[in-house]
Amino acid sequence: MFELDIRSRQPIYEQLVEKMKELIIHEVWKPHEQLPSVRQLAKEVTINPNTIQKAYRELEHQGYIYSIPGKGSFVAPQSPSVSQEKATMIKQQTLKLLCEGLYLGIAKEELLSLVETAEQLVKGAKTND
Amino acid sequence: MFELDIRSRQPIYEQLVEKMKELIIHEVWKPHEQLPSVRQLAKEVTINPNTIQKAYRELEHQGYIYSIPGKGSFVAPQSPSVSQEKATMIKQQTLKLLCEGLYLGIAKEELLSLVETAEQLVKGAKTND
DNA sequence: CTAACTGTATTAGTAATTATAGTACACATC
DNA sequence: GATGTGTACTATAATTACTAATACAGTTAG
């Protein structure tokens, strides 16, 4: 299910967080969909359940999933309150990257078109219901 | 010259890299301008010279400065060859962030305006010659 | 050449992180 | 009650990251 690089300097749990976030953002995993259990996923990728749980804990902390003891972990719907904080962070980081890109000589138009691409990627997923 | 947070979980050298990159990107430091020496800067911020050098090494690796043993370290001019690789990386990262932003509910128009803001920040610096 | 400055390399020690293992607890479902 | 779920806790080994101290080599000015 996931391709993990054990010998990467990037921790396994971080790789998991990134890949799962993408699946959620692009709505491959829909809101309220149940994720594999920590033990089941640990078996599949043959790593320790604690590592999975660390990834889930991080995803829950970032607001991308929610967990119910005894039941399982599920994709979180978008809650505007949490999103606003994150949105501010995202905008700050994006602005920084955009400045760097412009400095490196990327055309303004190219950066504008990135927004269009992103929109299609995200919206495209949503229309595939 | 720099405000560093010693007790931050973000390493000192990373803080240095970020702040210096911003100075270069916004052209507070111009191409071929000499940077403070590792020892001099180490004295100013009262940290180990090696930490400064690690930051400089990273900046050089990223193509933002160049160093000449015995002479000093200087702001690198933009070399299209190196920039192209970095541009690709920047675009990938930006696209990722944009998708995340859209998913969180940030309006497309708001993201587009970020590009304008970035342009003014970078161009604004350049016109201040 | 000497002295004082530059960047650089090596080594070492400490601290932080990471992944694993084992155990235990509480809740849900059948 | 048995099983599967998330969660918590401790412990430990291994690795990595970070900083520091020292030494080396090139440049420049006197």
Side-chain angles (χ1 to χ4, degrees):
Chain A
M1 189 166 214
F2 297 102
E3 298 171 7
L4 300 175
D5 184 2
I6 305 295
R7 67 194 55 204
S8 167
R9 21 252 153 250
Q10 187 183 30
I12 300 174
Y13 81 95
E14 269 190 23
Q15 297 179 44
L16 277 168
V17 168
E18 280 193 13
K19 306 217 171 192
M20 290 184 161
K21 249 169 86 169
E22 286 185 10
L23 290 177
I24 293 173
I25 288 173
H26 295 107
E27 299 213 352
V28 178
W29 287 350
K30 309 290 170 66
H32 301 296
E33 185 172 336
Q34 183 162 11
L35 306 178
S37 78
V38 289
R39 292 175 180 81
Q40 174 188 339
L41 187 50
K43 243 185 227 167
E44 279 188 27
V45 296
T46 54
I47 60 176
N48 195 281
N50 285 332
T51 305
I52 307 287
Q53 204 229 333
K54 186 168 187 178
Y56 278 24
R57 194 190 312 151
E58 178 63 21
L59 283 169
E60 184 167 22
H61 180 254
Q62 289 188 28
Y64 286 94
I65 71 173
Y66 63 95
S67 298
I68 304 177
K71 299 197 72 172
S73 299
F74 308 86
V75 175
Q78 288 316 295
S79 82
S81 57
V82 181
S83 297
Q84 190 133 0
E85 301 176 42
K86 281 196 64 62
T88 304
M89 298 274 297
I90 297 287
K91 281 189 280 185
Q92 283 178 357
Q93 294 174 32
T94 305
L95 183 59
K96 215 170 183 176
L97 270 179
L98 289 172
C99 286
E100 199 169 345
L102 288 171
Y103 175 75
L104 290 175
I106 301 178
K108 175 185 167 187
E109 291 72 26
E110 202 167 354
L111 295 174
L112 287 171
S113 76
L114 276 181
V115 181
E116 308 290 343
T117 306
E119 191 193 28
Q120 288 183 350
L121 283 174
V122 176
K123 275 212 173 174
K126 286 189 180 174
T127 55
N128 281 346
D129 279 344
Chain B
M1 190 167 215
F2 297 102
E3 298 171 8
L4 300 175
D5 185 3
I6 305 296
R7 66 194 56 201
S8 168
R9 20 251 151 252
Q10 186 182 32
I12 300 175
Y13 82 94
E14 268 190 24
Q15 296 180 44
L16 278 168
V17 168
E18 281 192 12
K19 306 218 171 190
M20 290 184 161
K21 248 167 89 168
E22 286 187 7
L23 290 177
I24 294 173
I25 288 172
H26 296 107
E27 299 215 349
V28 179
W29 286 350
K30 308 292 170 64
H32 301 296
E33 185 173 335
Q34 183 162 11
L35 307 178
S37 78
V38 288
R39 290 175 181 81
Q40 176 188 337
L41 187 51
K43 243 185 227 167
E44 279 187 28
V45 296
T46 53
I47 59 174
N48 194 281
N50 283 333
T51 306
I52 307 289
Q53 203 233 329
K54 186 165 188 180
Y56 278 23
R57 194 191 311 150
E58 177 63 21
L59 284 168
E60 183 167 21
H61 180 254
Q62 290 189 25
Y64 286 95
I65 71 174
Y66 63 95
S67 298
I68 305 176
K71 300 196 71 170
S73 298
F74 309 86
V75 176
Q78 289 315 297
S79 82
S81 58
V82 181
S83 296
Q84 191 133 0
E85 300 176 43
K86 280 197 65 63
T88 304
M89 298 273 298
I90 297 288
K91 281 188 280 187
Q92 284 179 357
Q93 294 175 31
T94 305
L95 183 59
K96 213 169 182 177
L97 271 178
L98 289 172
C99 286
E100 197 168 344
L102 287 170
Y103 176 75
L104 289 176
I106 301 178
K108 176 184 167 188
E109 291 73 25
E110 201 167 356
L111 294 174
L112 288 171
S113 76
L114 276 181
V115 182
E116 309 288 343
T117 306
E119 191 193 26
Q120 289 183 349
L121 283 174
V122 176
K123 276 213 173 175
K126 286 189 178 173
T127 54
N128 283 345
D129 280 344

